[in-house]
Coordinates of all heavy atoms in Angstrom, one line a residue:
M1248 N 11.7 0.7 3.8 CA 11.7 -0.8 3.7 C 12.7 -1.2 2.7 O 12.9 -0.7 1.6 CB 10.3 -1.2 3.2 CG 10.2 -2.7 2.9 SD 8.5 -3.1 2.4 CE 8.6 -4.8 2.3
K1249 N 13.6 -2.1 3.3 CA 14.7 -2.6 2.5 C 14.4 -4.0 2.0 O 13.8 -4.8 2.6 CB 16.0 -2.6 3.3 CG 16.5 -1.2 3.6 CD 17.9 -1.3 4.4 CE 18.3 0.1 4.7 NZ 17.6 0.8 5.8
L1250 N 14.9 -4.2 0.7 CA 14.7 -5.6 0.1 C 16.1 -5.9 -0.6 O 17.0 -5.0 -0.6 CB 13.7 -5.5 -0.9 CG 12.3 -5.1 -0.6 CD1 12.2 -3.5 -0.8 CD2 11.2 -5.7 -1.3
I1251 N 16.3 -7.1 -1.0 CA 17.5 -7.5 -1.8 C 17.0 -8.1 -3.1 O 16.0 -8.8 -3.1 CB 18.4 -8.4 -1.1 CG1 17.6 -9.6 -0.5 CG2 19.2 -7.7 0.1 CD1 18.6 -10.8 0.0
Y1252 N 17.7 -7.8 -4.1 CA 17.5 -8.3 -5.5 C 18.7 -9.3 -5.7 O 19.9 -8.8 -5.6 CB 17.4 -7.3 -6.5 CG 17.5 -7.8 -7.9 CD1 16.3 -8.5 -8.5 CD2 18.6 -7.6 -8.7 CE1 16.5 -9.0 -9.7 CE2 18.7 -8.1 -9.9 CZ 17.5 -8.8 -10.5 OH 17.6 -9.3 -11.8
C1253 N 18.5 -10.5 -6.0 CA 19.5 -11.5 -6.3 C 19.8 -11.4 -7.8 O 18.9 -11.7 -8.5 CB 19.2 -12.9 -5.8 SG 20.5 -14.1 -6.1
I1254 N 21.1 -11.1 -8.1 CA 21.4 -11.0 -9.6 C 21.6 -12.4 -10.1 O 21.6 -12.6 -11.4 CB 22.6 -10.2 -9.9 CG1 23.8 -10.6 -9.2 CG2 22.3 -8.7 -9.4 CD1 25.1 -9.9 -9.5
K1255 N 21.7 -13.5 -9.4 CA 21.8 -14.9 -9.8 C 20.4 -15.4 -10.2 O 20.2 -16.0 -11.2 CB 22.4 -15.8 -8.8 CG 23.8 -15.5 -8.6 CD 24.7 -16.0 -9.8 CE 26.2 -15.6 -9.6 NZ 26.9 -15.8 -10.9
C1256 N 19.4 -15.2 -9.4 CA 18.1 -15.9 -9.6 C 17.0 -14.9 -9.8 O 15.9 -15.3 -10.2 CB 17.7 -16.8 -8.4 SG 17.3 -16.0 -6.9
G1257 N 17.3 -13.6 -9.6 CA 16.2 -12.6 -9.9 C 15.2 -12.4 -8.9 O 14.2 -11.7 -9.1
D1258 N 15.3 -13.1 -7.8 CA 14.3 -13.0 -6.7 C 14.5 -11.7 -5.9 O 15.5 -11.1 -5.9 CB 14.6 -14.2 -5.7 CG 13.3 -14.6 -5.0 OD1 12.2 -14.0 -5.2 OD2 13.4 -15.6 -4.2
V1259 N 13.4 -11.2 -5.5 CA 13.3 -10.0 -4.6 C 12.8 -10.4 -3.2 O 11.7 -11.1 -3.2 CB 12.5 -8.9 -5.3 CG1 12.4 -7.7 -4.3 CG2 13.1 -8.4 -6.5
V1260 N 13.5 -10.1 -2.2 CA 13.1 -10.7 -0.9 C 13.2 -9.4 0.1 O 14.1 -8.7 0.1 CB 14.1 -11.7 -0.4 CG1 13.7 -12.1 1.1 CG2 14.1 -12.9 -1.3
A1261 N 12.1 -9.2 0.7 CA 12.0 -8.2 1.8 C 12.8 -8.6 3.0 O 12.7 -9.8 3.4 CB 10.6 -7.9 2.2
L1262 N 13.6 -7.7 3.6 CA 14.3 -8.1 4.8 C 13.5 -8.0 6.0 O 12.6 -7.2 6.1 CB 15.6 -7.1 5.0 CG 16.5 -7.1 3.7 CD1 17.7 -6.2 4.1 CD2 17.0 -8.5 3.5
R1263 N 13.9 -8.8 7.0 CA 13.2 -8.9 8.3 C 14.3 -9.0 9.4 O 15.5 -9.0 9.0 CB 12.3 -10.1 8.4 CG 11.1 -10.0 7.4 CD 10.2 -11.2 7.6 NE 9.1 -11.2 6.7 CZ 7.9 -10.6 6.8 NH1 7.8 -9.9 8.0 NH2 7.0 -10.6 5.9
R1264 N 13.9 -9.1 10.5 CA 15.0 -9.2 11.6 C 15.6 -10.6 11.6 O 16.7 -10.9 12.2 CB 14.4 -8.9 12.9 CG 14.0 -7.4 12.9 CD 14.2 -6.7 14.3 NE 13.8 -5.3 14.1 CZ 13.2 -4.6 15.1 NH1 13.0 -5.0 16.2 NH2 13.0 -3.3 14.7
Q1265 N 14.8 -11.6 11.1 CA 15.4 -12.9 10.9 C 16.0 -13.0 9.5 O 15.3 -12.5 8.6 CB 14.3 -14.0 11.1 CG 13.7 -14.1 12.5 CD 12.7 -13.0 12.8 OE1 12.0 -12.5 11.9 NE2 12.8 -12.5 14.0
E1266 N 17.1 -13.6 9.4 CA 17.8 -13.8 8.1 C 16.8 -14.4 7.1 O 16.2 -15.4 7.4 CB 19.1 -14.6 8.1 CG 19.9 -14.5 6.9 CD 21.2 -15.2 6.9 OE1 21.2 -16.4 6.9 OE2 22.2 -14.5 7.1
R1267 N 16.8 -13.9 5.9 CA 16.0 -14.4 4.8 C 17.0 -14.6 3.6 O 17.9 -13.8 3.4 CB 14.8 -13.5 4.5 CG 13.9 -13.3 5.7 CD 12.8 -12.5 5.3 NE 11.7 -13.3 4.6 CZ 10.7 -12.9 3.9 NH1 10.6 -11.7 3.7 NH2 9.9 -13.8 3.3
S1268 N 16.6 -15.6 2.7 CA 17.4 -15.7 1.5 C 16.5 -15.8 0.3 O 15.4 -16.0 0.4 CB 18.3 -16.9 1.7 OG 17.5 -18.1 1.8
C1269 N 17.2 -15.6 -0.9 CA 16.5 -15.7 -2.1 C 16.2 -17.1 -2.6 O 16.7 -18.1 -1.8 CB 17.3 -15.0 -3.2 SG 18.8 -15.8 -3.5
F1270 N 15.6 -17.3 -3.7 CA 15.2 -18.6 -4.1 C 16.4 -19.6 -4.3 O 16.4 -20.7 -3.9 CB 14.4 -18.5 -5.4 CG 14.0 -19.8 -6.0 CD1 12.9 -20.6 -5.5 CD2 14.7 -20.4 -7.1 CE1 12.5 -21.8 -6.0 CE2 14.3 -21.7 -7.5 CZ 13.2 -22.3 -7.1
C1271 N 17.5 -19.0 -4.9 CA 18.7 -19.9 -5.1 C 19.6 -20.0 -3.9 O 20.5 -20.8 -3.8 CB 19.5 -19.3 -6.3 SG 20.5 -17.9 -5.9
G1272 N 19.3 -19.2 -2.8 CA 20.0 -19.3 -1.6 C 21.3 -18.6 -1.5 O 22.0 -18.6 -0.5
K1273 N 21.8 -17.9 -2.6 CA 23.1 -17.3 -2.6 C 23.0 -15.9 -2.1 O 24.1 -15.5 -1.5 CB 23.6 -17.2 -4.1 CG 23.9 -18.6 -4.5 CD 24.5 -18.5 -6.0 CE 25.1 -19.9 -6.2 NZ 25.0 -20.4 -7.5
S1274 N 21.9 -15.2 -2.0 CA 21.8 -13.9 -1.4 C 21.0 -13.9 -0.2 O 20.0 -14.6 0.0 CB 21.1 -12.9 -2.5 OG 22.0 -12.8 -3.6
K1275 N 21.5 -13.2 0.9 CA 20.9 -13.2 2.1 C 20.9 -11.8 2.7 O 21.8 -11.0 2.4 CB 21.6 -14.2 3.1 CG 21.6 -15.6 2.7 CD 22.5 -16.5 3.5 CE 22.3 -17.9 3.0 NZ 23.4 -18.8 3.3
G1276 N 20.0 -11.6 3.7 CA 20.1 -10.4 4.4 C 19.2 -10.4 5.6 O 18.2 -11.2 5.7
L1277 N 19.3 -9.4 6.5 CA 18.5 -9.2 7.6 C 18.7 -7.8 8.2 O 19.8 -7.2 8.0 CB 18.8 -10.2 8.7 CG 19.9 -10.1 9.7 CD1 19.8 -11.0 10.8 CD2 21.2 -10.5 8.9
Y1278 N 17.7 -7.3 9.0 CA 17.7 -6.2 9.7 C 18.5 -6.3 11.0 O 18.4 -7.4 11.6 CB 16.4 -5.6 10.0 CG 15.8 -4.8 8.9 CD1 14.7 -5.2 8.3 CD2 16.3 -3.6 8.5 CE1 14.0 -4.6 7.2 CE2 15.7 -2.8 7.5 CZ 14.5 -3.4 6.9 OH 13.9 -2.6 5.8
G1279 N 19.2 -5.4 11.5 CA 19.8 -5.4 12.8 C 18.6 -5.1 13.8 O 17.5 -4.8 13.5
P1280 N 19.1 -5.1 15.1 CA 18.0 -4.8 16.2 C 17.3 -3.5 16.1 O 16.2 -3.4 16.6 CB 18.9 -4.9 17.5 CG 20.2 -5.5 17.1 CD 20.4 -5.3 15.6
D1281 N 18.0 -2.5 15.5 CA 17.3 -1.2 15.4 C 16.2 -1.1 14.3 O 15.5 -0.2 14.1 CB 18.3 -0.1 15.2 CG 19.1 -0.2 13.9 OD1 18.8 -1.1 13.1 OD2 19.9 0.8 13.7
G1282 N 16.1 -2.2 13.5 CA 15.2 -2.2 12.4 C 15.4 -1.2 11.2 O 14.7 -1.1 10.3
L1283 N 16.7 -0.6 11.2 CA 17.1 0.4 10.2 C 18.3 -0.1 9.5 O 18.3 -0.1 8.2 CB 17.3 1.7 10.8 CG 17.9 2.8 9.9 CD1 16.8 3.1 8.8 CD2 18.4 4.1 10.6
H1284 N 19.3 -0.5 10.2 CA 20.5 -1.0 9.6 C 20.3 -2.5 9.2 O 19.7 -3.2 9.8 CB 21.7 -1.0 10.6 CG 22.1 0.5 10.9 ND1 21.4 1.4 11.8 CD2 23.1 1.3 10.4 CE1 21.9 2.5 11.8 NE2 23.0 2.5 11.0
A1285 N 20.9 -2.8 8.1 CA 20.8 -4.1 7.4 C 22.1 -4.6 7.1 O 23.1 -3.9 6.8 CB 19.8 -4.0 6.2
T1286 N 22.2 -6.0 7.1 CA 23.4 -6.6 6.6 C 23.0 -7.6 5.5 O 22.0 -8.3 5.7 CB 24.0 -7.5 7.7 OG1 24.3 -6.6 8.9 CG2 25.3 -8.2 7.4
I1287 N 23.7 -7.6 4.4 CA 23.4 -8.4 3.3 C 24.6 -9.1 2.8 O 25.7 -8.6 3.1 CB 22.7 -7.6 2.1 CG1 23.7 -6.7 1.5 CG2 21.5 -6.9 2.6 CD1 23.2 -6.1 0.2
S1288 N 24.5 -10.2 2.1 CA 25.6 -11.0 1.6 C 25.1 -11.7 0.3 O 24.0 -11.8 0.0 CB 26.2 -12.0 2.6 OG 25.2 -12.9 2.9
G1289 N 26.2 -12.0 -0.5 CA 26.0 -12.7 -1.7 C 25.8 -11.8 -2.9 O 26.1 -10.6 -2.7
P1290 N 25.4 -12.3 -4.0 CA 25.2 -11.4 -5.2 C 23.9 -10.6 -5.1 O 23.1 -10.7 -6.0 CB 25.3 -12.4 -6.4 CG 24.6 -13.6 -5.8 CD 25.0 -13.7 -4.3
A1291 N 23.8 -9.9 -4.1 CA 22.6 -9.1 -3.8 C 22.8 -7.6 -4.1 O 23.8 -7.1 -3.8 CB 22.2 -9.4 -2.4
I1292 N 21.7 -7.0 -4.6 CA 21.7 -5.6 -4.7 C 20.6 -5.1 -3.8 O 19.5 -5.5 -3.8 CB 21.5 -5.1 -6.1 CG1 22.6 -5.5 -7.0 CG2 21.2 -3.6 -6.2 CD1 22.6 -5.2 -8.5
P1293 N 20.9 -4.1 -2.9 CA 19.9 -3.7 -1.8 C 18.9 -2.7 -2.6 O 19.3 -1.9 -3.4 CB 20.6 -2.9 -0.8 CG 21.9 -2.5 -1.5 CD 22.2 -3.5 -2.5
L1294 N 17.6 -2.9 -2.3 CA 16.6 -2.0 -2.8 C 15.8 -1.4 -1.6 O 15.8 -1.9 -0.6 CB 15.6 -2.9 -3.6 CG 16.1 -3.8 -4.8 CD1 14.9 -4.5 -5.3 CD2 16.8 -2.9 -5.9
G1295 N 15.2 -0.2 -1.9 CA 14.4 0.4 -0.9 C 13.0 0.8 -1.5 O 12.9 1.2 -2.7
F1296 N 12.1 0.7 -0.6 CA 10.7 1.2 -0.9 C 10.6 2.5 0.0 O 11.0 2.4 1.2 CB 9.6 0.4 -0.5 CG 9.3 -0.8 -1.4 CD1 10.1 -1.1 -2.5 CD2 8.3 -1.7 -1.1 CE1 9.9 -2.2 -3.3 CE2 8.0 -2.8 -1.9 CZ 8.8 -3.0 -3.0
T1297 N 10.2 3.6 -0.5 CA 10.0 4.8 0.3 C 8.7 4.5 1.1 O 7.6 4.3 0.6 CB 9.7 6.1 -0.5 OG1 10.9 6.2 -1.3 CG2 9.5 7.2 0.4
N1298 N 8.8 4.3 2.4 CA 7.8 3.7 3.3 C 6.4 4.5 3.1 O 5.4 3.9 2.9 CB 8.2 3.7 4.7 CG 9.2 2.6 5.0 OD1 9.4 1.7 4.3 ND2 10.0 2.9 6.0
Q1299 N 6.6 5.8 3.2 CA 5.4 6.6 3.1 C 4.6 6.5 1.8 O 3.4 6.2 1.7 CB 5.6 8.1 3.3 CG 4.5 8.9 3.5 CD 4.8 10.4 3.8 OE1 5.9 10.7 3.8 NE2 3.8 11.2 3.9
S1300 N 5.3 6.4 0.6 CA 4.6 6.2 -0.6 C 4.1 4.9 -0.9 O 3.1 4.6 -1.5 CB 5.6 6.6 -1.8 OG 6.5 5.6 -2.1
F1301 N 4.8 3.9 -0.3 CA 4.3 2.5 -0.4 C 3.0 2.4 0.4 O 2.1 1.7 0.0 CB 5.4 1.6 0.1 CG 5.0 0.1 0.1 CD1 4.6 -0.6 -1.1 CD2 5.2 -0.8 1.1 CE1 4.3 -1.8 -1.2 CE2 4.8 -2.1 1.1 CZ 4.4 -2.6 -0.1
R1302 N 3.0 2.9 1.6 CA 1.8 2.8 2.5 C 0.7 3.5 1.8 O -0.5 3.0 1.8 CB 2.1 3.5 3.8 CG 1.5 2.8 5.0 CD 1.9 3.4 6.4 NE 3.3 3.2 6.7 CZ 4.2 4.2 6.8 NH1 3.8 5.5 6.9 NH2 5.5 3.9 7.1
H1303 N 0.9 4.7 1.1 CA -0.1 5.5 0.4 C -0.6 4.7 -0.6 O -1.9 4.7 -0.9 CB 0.5 6.9 0.0 CG -0.4 7.7 -0.7 ND1 -0.7 7.7 -2.0 CD2 -1.3 8.6 -0.1 CE1 -1.6 8.7 -2.3 NE2 -2.1 9.1 -1.2
A1304 N 0.2 4.0 -1.5 CA -0.2 3.2 -2.6 C -1.1 2.0 -2.1 O -2.1 1.8 -2.7 CB 1.0 2.7 -3.4
L1305 N -0.8 1.4 -1.0 CA -1.5 0.3 -0.5 C -2.9 0.8 0.0 O -3.9 0.1 -0.3 CB -0.8 -0.3 0.7 CG 0.5 -1.1 0.5 CD1 1.1 -1.5 1.8 CD2 0.2 -2.3 -0.4
M1306 N -2.9 1.9 0.6 CA -4.3 2.4 1.1 C -5.1 3.0 0.0 O -6.3 3.3 0.2 CB -4.0 3.4 2.1 CG -3.3 2.9 3.3 SD -3.2 4.0 4.8 CE -3.0 5.6 4.1
N1307 N -4.5 3.2 -1.2 CA -5.3 3.8 -2.4 C -5.2 2.9 -3.5 O -5.2 3.3 -4.7 CB -4.7 5.2 -2.7 CG -4.9 6.2 -1.5 OD1 -6.0 6.6 -1.3 ND2 -3.9 6.4 -0.7
Q1308 N -5.3 1.6 -3.3 CA -5.4 0.6 -4.4 C -6.6 1.0 -5.3 O -7.7 0.9 -4.8 CB -5.3 -0.8 -3.8 CG -5.4 -1.8 -5.0 CD -5.6 -3.2 -4.4 OE1 -6.0 -3.4 -3.3 NE2 -5.1 -4.3 -5.3
P1309 N -6.4 1.2 -6.6 CA -7.5 1.5 -7.5 C -8.3 0.3 -7.7 O -7.8 -0.9 -7.6 CB -6.8 1.9 -8.8 CG -5.3 2.1 -8.5 CD -5.0 1.3 -7.3
E1310 N -9.6 0.5 -7.9 CA -10.5 -0.6 -8.2 C -10.2 -1.1 -9.7 O -10.3 -2.3 -9.9 CB -11.9 -0.1 -8.1 CG -13.0 -1.0 -7.8 CD -12.7 -1.9 -6.6 OE1 -12.4 -1.3 -5.5 OE2 -12.9 -3.1 -6.6
T1311 N -10.0 -0.1 -10.5 CA -9.8 -0.5 -11.9 C -8.7 0.5 -12.6 O -8.2 1.3 -11.8 CB -11.1 -0.3 -12.8 OG1 -11.5 1.1 -12.7 CG2 -12.2 -1.3 -12.3
G1312 N -8.5 0.3 -13.8 CA -7.5 1.3 -14.4 C -6.1 0.9 -14.1 O -5.7 -0.3 -13.9
L1313 N -5.3 1.9 -14.1 CA -3.9 1.7 -13.7 C -3.6 1.5 -12.3 O -4.3 1.9 -11.4 CB -3.1 2.9 -14.2 CG -3.2 3.3 -15.7 CD1 -2.4 4.6 -16.1 CD2 -2.5 2.1 -16.5
G1314 N -2.5 0.8 -12.0 CA -2.2 0.5 -10.6 C -1.7 1.8 -10.0 O -1.4 2.8 -10.7
K1315 N -1.6 1.9 -8.6 CA -1.1 3.0 -7.9 C 0.5 2.9 -7.8 O 1.0 1.9 -7.2 CB -1.7 3.0 -6.6 CG -1.4 4.3 -5.7 CD -2.1 5.5 -6.3 CE -1.9 6.7 -5.6 NZ -2.3 7.9 -6.3
E1316 N 1.2 3.8 -8.3 CA 2.6 3.9 -8.2 C 3.1 4.3 -6.9 O 2.5 4.9 -6.1 CB 3.2 4.9 -9.2 CG 2.9 4.4 -10.7 CD 3.4 5.4 -11.7 OE1 4.0 6.5 -11.2 OE2 3.4 5.0 -12.8
F1317 N 4.4 3.8 -6.6 CA 5.0 4.2 -5.3 C 6.5 4.3 -5.6 O 6.8 3.9 -6.7 CB 4.7 3.3 -4.1 CG 5.3 1.9 -4.3 CD1 6.5 1.4 -3.8 CD2 4.5 1.0 -5.0 CE1 7.0 0.2 -4.0 CE2 4.9 -0.4 -5.2 CZ 6.2 -0.7 -4.7
T1318 N 7.3 4.8 -4.7 CA 8.6 5.0 -5.0 C 9.5 3.9 -4.6 O 9.5 3.5 -3.3 CB 9.1 6.3 -4.3 OG1 8.3 7.4 -4.8 CG2 10.6 6.6 -4.6
A1319 N 10.3 3.2 -5.4 CA 11.2 2.3 -5.1 C 12.6 2.6 -5.7 O 12.6 3.3 -6.7 CB 10.8 0.9 -5.7
F1320 N 13.6 2.2 -5.1 CA 15.0 2.7 -5.6 C 16.0 1.7 -5.3 O 15.9 0.8 -4.4 CB 15.4 4.0 -4.9 CG 15.3 4.1 -3.6 CD1 16.4 4.0 -2.7 CD2 14.1 4.3 -2.8 CE1 16.4 4.0 -1.4 CE2 14.0 4.3 -1.4 CZ 15.2 4.1 -0.8
V1321 N 17.1 1.7 -6.1 CA 18.3 0.9 -5.8 C 19.1 1.6 -4.9 O 19.5 2.9 -5.1 CB 19.0 0.7 -7.2 CG1 20.3 -0.1 -6.9 CG2 18.2 -0.1 -8.1
I1322 N 19.4 1.1 -3.7 CA 20.3 1.7 -2.6 C 21.7 1.9 -3.1 O 22.2 1.0 -3.7 CB 20.1 1.0 -1.4 CG1 18.7 1.0 -0.8 CG2 21.1 1.5 -0.3 CD1 18.4 0.2 0.4
Q1323 N 22.3 3.0 -2.9 CA 23.7 3.3 -3.3 C 24.6 2.3 -2.8 O 24.3 1.7 -1.7 CB 24.0 4.7 -3.0 CG 24.1 5.0 -1.5 CD 22.8 5.3 -0.8 OE1 21.7 5.0 -1.2 NE2 22.8 6.1 0.3
K1324 N 25.7 2.2 -3.4 CA 26.8 1.1 -3.1 C 27.3 1.4 -1.7 O 27.6 0.6 -0.9 CB 27.8 1.1 -4.1 CG 27.4 0.5 -5.5 CD 28.5 0.4 -6.4 CE 28.0 -0.2 -7.7 NZ 29.0 -0.2 -8.7
V1325 N 27.6 2.7 -1.4 CA 28.1 3.1 0.0 C 27.0 3.7 0.7 O 26.5 4.9 0.4 CB 29.3 4.1 -0.1 CG1 29.7 4.5 1.2 CG2 30.3 3.5 -1.1
C1326 N 26.5 3.0 1.7 CA 25.3 3.4 2.5 C 25.5 3.2 4.0 O 25.9 2.0 4.3 CB 24.1 2.6 1.9 SG 22.5 2.9 2.9
D1327 N 25.2 4.1 4.7 CA 25.4 4.0 6.2 C 24.6 2.9 6.9 O 24.9 2.4 7.9 CB 25.2 5.3 6.9 CG 26.2 6.3 6.6 OD1 27.3 6.0 6.1 OD2 25.9 7.5 6.8
T1328 N 23.4 2.6 6.2 CA 22.5 1.7 6.8 C 22.5 0.3 6.2 O 21.7 -0.6 6.5 CB 21.1 2.2 6.8 OG1 20.7 2.4 5.5 CG2 21.1 3.6 7.7
V1329 N 23.4 0.0 5.2 CA 23.5 -1.4 4.6 C 25.0 -1.7 4.7 O 25.9 -1.1 4.2 CB 23.0 -1.3 3.2 CG1 23.2 -2.6 2.6 CG2 21.6 -0.9 3.1
E1330 N 25.2 -2.8 5.4 CA 26.5 -3.3 5.4 C 26.6 -4.7 4.5 O 25.7 -5.6 4.6 CB 26.9 -3.8 6.8 CG 28.3 -4.4 7.0 CD 28.7 -4.8 8.4 OE1 27.8 -4.8 9.2 OE2 29.8 -5.3 8.7
I1331 N 27.6 -4.7 3.6 CA 27.7 -5.8 2.7 C 28.8 -6.7 3.3 O 30.0 -6.2 3.5 CB 28.0 -5.4 1.3 CG1 26.8 -4.5 0.8 CG2 28.2 -6.6 0.4 CD1 27.1 -3.7 -0.4
V1332 N 28.5 -7.9 3.6 CA 29.6 -8.8 4.0 C 29.9 -9.9 3.1 O 29.0 -10.2 2.3 CB 29.1 -9.4 5.5 CG1 29.2 -8.2 6.5 CG2 27.9 -10.1 5.5
Ligands
ZN542 ZN1 19.3 -16.0 -5.7

């Protein structure tokens, strides 16, 4: 799962097949038809959630105590599945 972090307004937005933008409107992004490749623009840094660990955390939400961790990461600057325009 890919998201963008806008360095101008601090918003984090999950990408979809329809273009979405952050709160300030300067960062935008969307998935291509394959649902894997994404195009982003503006002062955005692409982020990723490891889908399996995110799903596992959702399904194992603790009742109390500490939250369930999952893997999130900053996507590398040169990435085959993220085009920056
Ligand atoms: Zn913004």
